[in-house]
Amino acid sequence: MINALGRVLPEIIDQYGTTRPFAGVWATQPDLHRHAPVVKVVRPGIKKLMASLADVFRRIPIRNGMTLSFHHHLRNGDGVVNTVLEVAAHLGIRDLTVALSSVFPIHAPMVEHIVSGVVSALDTTYLTGPVAVAVSHGALARPVIMRTHGGRARAIICGQLHIDVAFIAAAATDDYGNLTGRVGPSAYGALGYAVADAEHADYVIAVTDHLVPYPLTPISIPQTRVDYVVQIPSIGDPAGIVSGSTRITQDPERLRMAQLAAQVIDAAGLLRDGFSYQTGAGGTSLAVTQFVRRLMEERGVVGSFALGGITSDLIAMLECGLFHKLLDVQGFDLAAVRSIATNPNHQEISADMYANPFNLGCVVNRLDCVILGATEIDIDFNVNVTTGSDGIIRGGSGGHSDAAAGAKLAIVVATTRRGMLPIVVDQVVTATTPGESIDALVTEQGIAVNPRRADLTDRLCAAGLPIRDIAELRAAAYSADRPQRLHTQDRAVAIVEYRDGTLIDVVRQVATYD
Amino acid sequence: MINALGRVLPEIIDQYGTTRPFAGVWATQPDLHRHAPVVKVVRPGIKKLMASLADVFRRIPIRNGMTLSFHHHLRNGDGVVNTVLEVAAHLGIRDLTVALSSVFPIHAPMVEHIVSGVVSALDTTYLTGPVAVAVSHGALARPVIMRTHGGRARAIICGQLHIDVAFIAAAATDDYGNLTGRVGPSAYGALGYAVADAEHADYVIAVTDHLVPYPLTPISIPQTRVDYVVQIPSIGDPAGIVSGSTRITQDPERLRMAQLAAQVIDAAGLLRDGFSYQTGAGGTSLAVTQFVRRLMEERGVVGSFALGGITSDLIAMLECGLFHKLLDVQGFDLAAVRSIATNPNHQEISADMYANPFNLGCVVNRLDCVILGATEIDIDFNVNVTTGSDGIIRGGSGGHSDAAAGAKLAIVVATTRRGMLPIVVDQVVTATTPGESIDALVTEQGIAVNPRRADLTDRLCAAGLPIRDIAELRAAAYSADRPQRLHTQDRAVAIVEYRDGTLIDVVRQVATYD
């Protein structure tokens, strides 16, 4: 099977089934209904508060082969996944599928659970650290399913990812399960990725270290969707939330690229009142935001909203009136956690609302511009943020493909090479985001515009910006050393699903290099 | 067929189907899944803003025989139902089912639409004014389905009430359908009854007179559930929201009853920290709340939450710290509208969360006490709030049956007679709320306790409160005049569904009296 990116992919994948080839960003017309969970009854007087996680396991009961879901808002400070899997191991449960929205280095103990057979499958959007390395080397018999943030919501809502038990890390909850991430000693802010799980899982467990009197308000997930509440000593360490660099890059080359990216947005005609914007949390992204901010201030432009992944620089722009609103699916630092708890213009949104392609319009559809990163980008503008060029998994789409598909202007900002490794390449090792949805690549050597966007090329030329053909940038990237060619085994260790559920690529088990 | 209240009811009702007899408050164990709407896609760039309601009708398209739903938060000031039905009539649509959560005198134009065949069926929880009179006299060929507030949410969520098109009166919305009732020139506060409609209808239309820039926050119903947005000159007049008396009764007899009701709550041992409370908006209810407030102040008791139907007296108690929280499914006055827009301890909740018996626990389950009214109450404590003793529909359960089923202590406060009409009777004309869920009746002649609550009798006796057998109260009610006996035709003009969907009673077409 060959998909629309020209990737040769298996038609059937063991333990996954028949694949549907990626056919284009908007090619899929769903013929689906929302997943319809069983209706249950909780009468007056019934208690939801359980004494321990083990009690919850026995009460449901959690059995071999079930799918347990978790969300990653505590990021590299998360304490819930490790605690729950330890209980599962202790109780002798085996063959679990872990549907964890993102996997971080702190989840290293999962490697042992994989080895011992407690965990036999993984469903995620982003995978880094020891679990990623183990998976890349074939530790799991079943291939990991890697989705986008919007694609994960889509899969849950459409019944394609069936969750037996969802564990929600509740920074605060009452004894009836009204819960939030916004307050409490382990507050982490928005809990957007957990909402679909809570809506559609067979059982929903609020796991908390901060039980408050009934009724908790404001409510992020309501009592009507929570079966049990259990208290543990700690749900994690919010200090581990901080993602990426929190400091703007000082590298002159990267600062130049950031300025160029801001100029691209400007030349595209988007920096007017109502401007909407998303970016990541890396040092270069932060620099782009500063240049965008400067232009907005110079012009007296007031943006409508920033979306994300919210960081302190966006909060500063909200607070000084440069954006009217922040739409927040997860906080990227503790400033975001504080802001969402107090500022009514800082709105929590679900992953469904953020980026699900199969609903009545998600927020990425309303983005003017998104700034994206790339581990690799090829001459068709396809982006790899899933694996290194060594084939080892060290990321995943997260919201990358979603925002690229939705935004009027999706800009990848990347140097043409990183040390000896070319970043602009003939063909990405793993395709995460299709080039069809990328409008421009900004590098230290100039800007390449997707040929699909002749209108954008015209505008950038008119603004006197340095336009290059992407093949030239690729040539510059390759000039010093030809890239090593990666050899892999045939076996797919991970399936890369596009946001609509089609197969955009697979990650094959790593082997040798030449 | 005879149900658990001894009501002789038809086994099959024309245009309704086979009936399921009411079998007890918690007798029904559902074997259901949540209704699963079709998954749709809205791509970037697609506009939801339509030029007119007629355009929306043509776009969907709305056809003969469809079910259109509406909510009643603007109460007797609602302008959306009349406007939409006028468009339907103008376009020649016929045979519509109107699923309007409550029907008020302002909806009088619906009578013409019934006569002309535009509207052929009605699904509601409360029915008063000209439409109620017309229905009682057999204007509709199909029987009206009368549900409870929680039962309406249950029917929609479980797919028993299928909505083709839900019209949401949006006090403010953006052009992508993020909407709220809290702000705007026609702000009405909480929109709890509209949430299930928006979640489960095939199409959802935001009808507004206040379009705001994208994105509106805070969001009550999100863009992901709204197909189209349409602007009309006015969604209604919030002055029509005010419900019932806004002044405390000055009648000494009613004040005595109110004080007695507060003493019952106290004697039951419920007036302690964490107390939770619901009441209506009538003059006697307001008086009960004042006596409760006085007791709480005297004792230094701080309640957890008040629930409702929120009125200014409850807001005053929130603001002076007598309750920690208000849980609000609809505002009963303009003070409630102002409070919910600004006070984070005043939480909007859906009808599902308020009172749906088929979820993981609704808020009425957590009520200590509810104060209820009655048009009639019989010696088995069954309450009629649906029809007058003349058989004419002039109300309906609303949340009456829901709160009674959930609360630890459900108190009906009513005089034994109103003028010449007995209120405490042998058998209610129409059973709305089963006596099984009523704990006590407080009258001007003393208190009757449901025999099921011997524990409560003991406590009230110990407190020296005037306990009477309900048969004595009935005798007092009948002493002056024997009640007239109501004769009706056989035909059911309305079906009274208990909150679980079973048949608790029917309203038969009115005829003659003797």
Side-chain angles (χ1 to χ4, degrees):
Chain A
M1 181 266 270
I2 301 178
N3 73 11
L5 300 189
R7 300 262 146 178
V8 181
L9 299 167
E11 277 173 43
I12 296 173
I13 298 177
D14 191 32
Q15 315 238 29
Y16 175 82
T18 305
T19 60
R20 288 176 302 136
F22 170 75
V25 168
W26 294 105
T28 303
Q29 265 303 329
D31 180 20
L32 294 165
H33 285 251
R34 273 194 272 162
H35 173 62
V38 168
V39 166
K40 292 187 264 192
V41 174
V42 169
R43 297 182 190 186
I46 290 177
K47 306 286 186 216
K48 296 187 180 182
L49 193 61
M50 298 285 115
S52 69
L53 277 168
D55 279 0
V56 170
F57 268 69
R58 285 184 283 256
R59 175 71 77 101
I60 289 176
I62 293 178
R63 294 201 185 87
N64 294 351
M66 279 188 168
T67 296
L68 312 187
S69 90
F70 305 87
H71 59 112
H72 72 278
H73 295 91
L74 278 156
R75 302 178 64 85
N76 203 38
D78 173 57
V80 170
V81 173
N82 293 342
T83 304
V84 169
L85 291 183
E86 202 175 297
V87 172
H90 186 72
L91 294 174
I93 312 286
R94 296 179 62 79
D95 200 22
L96 294 172
T97 294
V98 172
L100 165 56
S101 48
S102 294
V103 183
F104 289 91
I106 199 163
H107 299 118
M110 204 192 297
V111 175
E112 286 229 14
H113 297 307
I114 289 171
V115 172
S116 67
V118 175
V119 172
S120 67
L122 193 52
D123 192 303
T124 189
T125 75
Y126 182 94
L127 184 55
T128 185
V131 179
V133 173
V135 165
S136 301
H137 287 91
L140 278 168
R142 288 156 65 187
V144 172
I145 301 179
M146 300 194 67
R147 310 182 192 265
T148 73
H149 282 327
R152 181 177 191 272
R154 182 262 312 149
I156 294 168
I157 292 168
C158 298
Q160 297 157 328
L161 167 53
H162 177 261
I163 299 168
D164 292 293
V165 188
F167 290 88
I168 316 288
T173 181
D174 60 41
D175 66 354
Y176 224 42
N178 294 299
L179 68 84
T180 185
R182 299 194 224 180
V183 296
S186 309
Y188 53 78
L191 51 61
Y193 300 123
V195 175
D197 306 47
E199 273 296 307
H200 295 280
D202 289 350
Y203 291 88
V204 178
I205 316 302
V207 182
T208 197
D209 53 15
H210 189 56
L211 202 61
V212 301
Y214 183 90
L216 172 136
T217 68
I219 297 165
S220 294
I221 291 175
Q223 62 186 50
T224 52
R225 292 304 306 143
V226 176
D227 292 84
Y228 300 115
V229 176
V230 66
Q231 202 163 9
I232 63 174
S234 169
I235 61 167
D237 177 6
I241 291 172
V242 177
S243 167
S245 166
T246 56
R247 281 207 221 140
I248 294 176
T249 183
Q250 297 303 314
D251 179 76
E253 191 170 73
R254 288 186 171 271
L255 284 171
R256 260 201 315 279
M257 285 161 51
Q259 186 170 23
L260 211 48
Q263 289 169 324
V264 170
I265 302 171
D266 189 23
L270 297 172
L271 278 183
R272 39 151 189 51
D273 283 346
F275 174 61
S276 55
Y277 179 69
Q278 178 174 354
T279 186
T284 309
S285 294
L286 295 174
V288 176
T289 303
Q290 287 316 306
F291 285 109
V292 167
R293 176 177 180 154
R294 209 173 294 168
L295 286 171
M296 290 173 75
E297 285 170 337
E298 281 170 21
R299 308 281 166 78
V301 164
V302 178
S304 60
F305 69 94
L307 173 65
I310 295 296
T311 48
S312 56
D313 54 343
L314 296 175
I315 290 160
M317 289 177 79
L318 175 73
E319 289 175 352
C320 74
L322 287 168
F323 284 111
H324 287 298
K325 305 289 170 84
L326 297 182
L327 300 181
D328 185 350
V329 69
Q330 70 170 318
F332 271 161
D333 59 32
L334 297 176
V337 177
R338 282 188 293 272
S339 169
I340 201 172
T342 54
N343 191 331
N345 293 318
H346 186 159
Q347 168 86 35
E348 181 174 28
I349 61 170
S350 68
D352 175 39
M353 177 158 166
Y354 168 40
N356 179 4
F358 291 178
N359 63 25
L360 291 170
C362 53
V363 177
V364 296
N365 287 2
R366 297 297 296 250
L367 270 180
D368 284 331
C369 176
V370 63
I371 302 296
L372 299 165
T375 310
E376 296 180 313
I377 178 165
D378 68 25
I379 51 174
D380 295 322
F381 289 85
N382 300 314
V383 177
N384 173 19
V385 288
T386 303
T387 59
S389 43
D390 58 0
I392 303 280
I393 297 168
R394 44 173 59 91
S397 171
H400 195 285
S401 303
D402 299 310
K408 287 194 187 75
L409 178 63
I411 303 175
V412 170
V413 181
T415 49
T416 55
R417 38 193 305 144
R418 189 178 296 119
M420 302 301 285
L421 285 173
I423 290 175
V424 186
V425 295
D426 283 317
Q427 192 178 47
V428 289
V429 168
T430 309
T432 312
T433 296
E436 179 191 343
S437 62
I438 302 295
D439 299 293
L441 165 65
V442 172
T443 73
E444 82 290 355
Q445 312 250 350
I447 305 158
V449 178
N450 192 320
R452 302 167 59 97
R453 291 295 309 273
D455 61 316
L456 184 60
T457 305
D458 292 347
R459 281 175 168 273
L460 302 195
C461 283
L465 296 179
I467 305 288
R468 304 281 299 273
D469 190 280
I470 196 164
E472 296 175 57
L473 299 178
R474 184 268 326 265
Y478 282 7
S479 60
D481 302 274
R482 295 294 301 175
Q484 294 185 308
R485 210 161 139 231
L486 180 66
H487 288 269
T488 54
Q489 299 184 15
D490 259 1
R491 186 175 154 242
V493 295
I495 288 160
V496 184
E497 268 196 8
Y498 190 57
R499 59 201 300 253
D500 63 0
T502 59
L503 190 64
I504 191 159
D505 210 342
V506 297
V507 178
R508 297 184 197 270
Q509 190 167 330
V510 291
T512 57
Y513 306 82
D514 64 18
Chain B
M1 181 264 271
I2 301 179
N3 73 9
L5 300 189
R7 300 261 147 180
V8 181
L9 298 167
E11 277 173 43
I12 296 174
I13 298 177
D14 191 33
Q15 314 237 31
Y16 176 82
T18 306
T19 60
R20 288 175 302 135
F22 171 75
V25 169
W26 294 105
T28 303
Q29 266 303 330
D31 179 20
L32 294 165
H33 285 252
R34 273 193 272 163
H35 173 61
V38 169
V39 166
K40 292 187 265 191
V41 173
V42 169
R43 295 182 190 185
I46 290 178
K47 307 284 185 217
K48 296 185 179 182
L49 193 60
M50 297 286 116
S52 69
L53 278 168
D55 279 0
V56 170
F57 268 68
R58 284 184 283 254
R59 175 71 76 100
I60 289 176
I62 294 179
R63 295 202 185 85
N64 294 351
M66 279 190 168
T67 297
L68 311 188
S69 90
F70 305 88
H71 59 111
H72 72 279
H73 294 91
L74 278 156
R75 301 177 66 83
N76 204 37
D78 173 56
V80 171
V81 173
N82 293 342
T83 304
V84 170
L85 291 183
E86 202 174 296
V87 172
H90 185 71
L91 294 174
I93 312 284
R94 296 179 61 79
D95 200 21
L96 294 172
T97 295
V98 172
L100 165 58
S101 49
S102 294
V103 182
F104 288 90
I106 199 163
H107 298 118
M110 203 191 299
V111 175
E112 285 228 17
H113 297 306
I114 290 170
V115 172
S116 67
V118 175
V119 172
S120 67
L122 192 52
D123 192 303
T124 190
T125 76
Y126 183 93
L127 185 55
T128 185
V131 179
V133 174
V135 164
S136 301
H137 287 90
L140 278 168
R142 289 155 67 187
V144 173
I145 302 180
M146 300 196 67
R147 311 182 191 266
T148 73
H149 282 327
R152 182 178 190 273
R154 182 261 313 148
I156 294 169
I157 292 169
C158 298
Q160 297 158 327
L161 167 54
H162 176 261
I163 298 168
D164 292 294
V165 188
F167 290 88
I168 316 289
T173 181
D174 60 40
D175 67 354
Y176 225 41
N178 293 299
L179 67 85
T180 185
R182 299 192 225 180
V183 295
S186 310
Y188 52 79
L191 51 62
Y193 299 123
V195 175
D197 306 47
E199 273 295 307
H200 295 280
D202 289 350
Y203 290 88
V204 178
I205 316 303
V207 182
T208 196
D209 53 16
H210 189 55
L211 202 61
V212 301
Y214 183 88
L216 171 138
T217 68
I219 297 165
S220 294
I221 291 175
Q223 63 187 50
T224 52
R225 293 303 307 141
V226 176
D227 292 82
Y228 300 114
V229 176
V230 65
Q231 202 164 9
I232 63 173
S234 168
I235 61 167
D237 178 6
I241 291 170
V242 176
S243 168
S245 167
T246 55
R247 282 208 219 137
I248 294 177
T249 183
Q250 296 303 315
D251 178 78
E253 192 169 71
R254 289 186 171 271
L255 284 171
R256 260 201 316 280
M257 285 162 50
Q259 184 169 25
L260 210 48
Q263 289 170 324
V264 170
I265 302 170
D266 189 23
L270 296 173
L271 279 183
R272 40 155 186 49
D273 282 346
F275 174 63
S276 56
Y277 179 69
Q278 179 175 354
T279 185
T284 309
S285 293
L286 294 174
V288 176
T289 302
Q290 287 316 306
F291 284 110
V292 166
R293 176 178 180 154
R294 208 173 294 169
L295 286 171
M296 289 173 76
E297 284 171 337
E298 282 170 21
R299 308 280 167 78
V301 164
V302 177
S304 59
F305 69 94
L307 174 64
I310 295 297
T311 48
S312 56
D313 55 342
L314 296 174
I315 290 161
M317 290 177 79
L318 175 73
E319 289 175 353
C320 74
L322 287 168
F323 284 111
H324 288 297
K325 305 288 170 85
L326 297 183
L327 301 180
D328 185 350
V329 70
Q330 70 170 318
F332 271 162
D333 58 32
L334 297 176
V337 177
R338 282 188 292 273
S339 169
I340 200 170
T342 53
N343 191 332
N345 293 317
H346 186 159
Q347 167 87 35
E348 181 174 28
I349 61 170
S350 67
D352 175 39
M353 177 157 165
Y354 168 41
N356 178 3
F358 291 178
N359 64 24
L360 290 169
C362 53
V363 177
V364 296
N365 286 2
R366 298 296 296 249
L367 270 179
D368 284 332
C369 176
V370 63
I371 302 296
L372 299 165
T375 310
E376 297 181 311
I377 179 166
D378 69 23
I379 51 174
D380 295 322
F381 289 85
N382 301 314
V383 177
N384 172 18
V385 286
T386 303
T387 59
S389 44
D390 57 0
I392 303 279
I393 298 169
R394 46 173 57 92
S397 172
H400 195 285
S401 303
D402 299 310
K408 288 195 186 76
L409 178 63
I411 303 175
V412 171
V413 181
T415 50
T416 55
R417 38 192 304 142
R418 188 178 297 119
M420 301 303 284
L421 286 173
I423 290 175
V424 186
V425 295
D426 282 318
Q427 192 179 46
V428 287
V429 168
T430 309
T432 313
T433 296
E436 178 190 344
S437 61
I438 301 295
D439 299 293
L441 165 65
V442 172
T443 72
E444 83 288 356
Q445 310 252 351
I447 304 158
V449 177
N450 191 320
R452 301 167 59 97
R453 290 297 307 273
D455 61 317
L456 182 61
T457 305
D458 293 348
R459 281 175 168 272
L460 302 195
C461 283
L465 295 179
I467 305 289
R468 305 281 298 272
D469 191 280
I470 195 164
E472 295 174 57
L473 299 178
R474 185 267 326 263
Y478 283 5
S479 60
D481 302 274
R482 296 295 300 176
Q484 295 185 308
R485 219 168 129 224
L486 180 66
H487 287 267
T488 54
Q489 301 184 14
D490 259 359
R491 187 174 153 241
V493 294
I495 287 161
V496 184
E497 269 197 7
Y498 191 58
R499 60 200 300 253
D500 62 1
T502 58
L503 190 64
I504 192 159
D505 211 342
V506 296
V507 178
R508 297 184 197 268
Q509 191 168 330
V510 292
T512 56
Y513 305 83
D514 64 18

